[in-house]
Amino acid sequence: MIRALLLSALVAGALSCGLPTYLPHLPRVVGGEDVRPNSWPWQVSLQFSYNGQWRHTCGGTLVAQNWVLTAAHCISSSRTYRVVVGRHSLSVDERGSLAVKVSKIVVHKDWNSSQLSKGNDIAMLKLASPVPLSDKIQLGCLPPAGKILPNNYTCYVTGWGRLQITAPTPQGPGKWTEGELLVVDYATCSRSDWWGSSVKTNMICAGGDGIISSCNGDSGGPLNCQKADGQWEVHGVVSFGSSLGCNYYHKPSVFTRVSNYIDWIHSVRTGC
């Protein structure tokens, strides 16, 4: 009986948000390392239908069993989307993974695709059916509303995007990578020799060392930051980087700051 209770507790703990069953390798995405399979189980692949095939376009985070958080710039009204969860390699139909159609898309009302620097690059996708949680499919935790991470706080970006700006378009077999990014506070990131006025307080900067960054195909994916108790929170949604190159010095990856949109996320989930 005690053994059964212990097993139940372990399973419940494994299925809590932000606590992966398979712990990630944490290396020092562009310049990053291959991901340990299923170690970021809230990461999803957003795919669109093209000539009878599904192609990866962006990342996303499973924040409820039927809701995915991604970037607004990933969305086109002319496309049909699905979300793939529990997958490591995009070129293999892995056991335990699922592909679910998107039934509703909610883009932030203040998003303007011609004014990326205004922010609000955030969207929610409602899945056609809830996905069952498992050791490979788990929920990402959201941070408390208004939480600001300190300068040089260690986070990790994950995704199936390019490894460098000149690499092939990330629509073929995807290689999932992760990379360590240090948070750059607003006071630094908004300096004229960094991002200047392109960065707003509803964003979060991370990286800028000229080595590791997010890149094309990583858009919409999570910036994962670990709390002292070991639980991971998704503090950012990959938004934009430098046109000079994904890993350009003093041009860190810029993310939509999730803690700025907690009320909006909850209102979308409860209103649909």
Side-chain angles (χ1 to χ4, degrees):
M1 180 64 178
I2 294 176
R3 182 178 180 181
L5 290 173
L6 179 58
L7 180 59
S8 297
L10 290 173
V11 170
L15 298 183
S16 299
C17 74
L19 295 171
T21 302
Y22 309 103
L23 299 180
H25 300 302
L26 300 180
R28 237 265 355 138
V29 215
V30 172
E33 296 187 9
D34 292 357
V35 168
R36 180 184 183 185
N38 309 119
S39 57
W40 305 103
W42 45 88
Q43 168 95 46
V44 310
S45 167
L46 177 62
Q47 304 180 353
F48 67 96
S49 179
Y50 182 78
N51 288 342
Q53 294 184 323
W54 291 99
R55 296 191 173 189
H56 171 81
T57 183
C58 280
T61 300
L62 189 70
V63 295
Q65 287 181 257
N66 61 338
W67 283 102
V68 165
L69 179 68
T70 190
H73 80 261
C74 292
I75 303 302
S76 170
S77 59
S78 63
R79 287 178 171 175
T80 299
Y81 293 98
R82 74 174 187 178
V83 165
V84 175
V85 296
R87 186 73 62 86
H88 177 68
S89 172
L90 297 184
S91 61
V92 179
D93 187 12
E94 297 168 346
R95 185 176 182 179
S97 66
L98 294 171
V100 186
K101 293 288 185 67
V102 173
S103 63
K104 187 178 183 66
I105 298 173
V106 183
V107 173
H108 196 280
K109 63 180 179 61
D110 294 327
W111 161 247
N112 187 329
S113 60
S114 63
Q115 294 181 306
L116 183 62
S117 64
K118 287 186 65 175
N120 304 308
D121 187 10
I122 192 168
M124 292 282 284
L125 312 176
K126 189 175 185 180
L127 304 184
S129 58
V131 297
L133 302 183
S134 68
D135 60 336
K136 297 181 178 181
I137 304 171
Q138 296 174 32
L139 303 181
C141 290
L142 301 180
K147 184 173 181 179
I148 304 291
L149 294 175
N151 195 49
N152 287 328
Y153 197 95
T154 301
C155 297
Y156 291 84
V157 64
T158 57
W160 289 279
R162 289 186 175 105
L163 293 179
Q164 53 186 346
I165 193 65
T166 56
T169 303
Q171 294 177 347
K175 188 176 184 180
W176 195 5
T177 56
E178 63 188 15
E180 178 186 289
L181 297 181
L182 300 184
V183 169
V184 180
D185 63 16
Y186 175 75
T188 301
C189 199
S190 60
R191 282 169 33 183
S192 59
D193 55 334
W194 286 67
W195 272 112
S197 61
S198 295
V199 167
K200 304 295 188 294
T201 55
N202 58 7
M203 305 172 186
I204 179 172
C205 300
D209 61 0
I211 301 172
I212 298 175
S213 75
S214 59
C215 200
N216 305 62
D218 293 326
S219 289
L223 179 67
N224 305 288
C225 308
Q226 194 173 32
K227 299 194 302 180
D229 64 3
Q231 188 177 50
W232 292 90
E233 292 177 334
V234 175
H235 276 263
V237 174
V238 179
S239 182
F240 66 88
S242 174
S243 61
L244 299 173
C246 292
N247 48 356
Y248 200 77
Y249 185 62
H250 277 191
K251 288 294 184 288
S253 302
V254 181
F255 303 78
T256 301
R257 181 166 62 82
V258 174
S259 66
N260 191 70
Y261 296 91
I262 298 301
D263 290 344
W264 178 81
I265 292 169
H266 289 325
S267 68
V268 170
R269 288 180 54 189
T270 57
C272 297

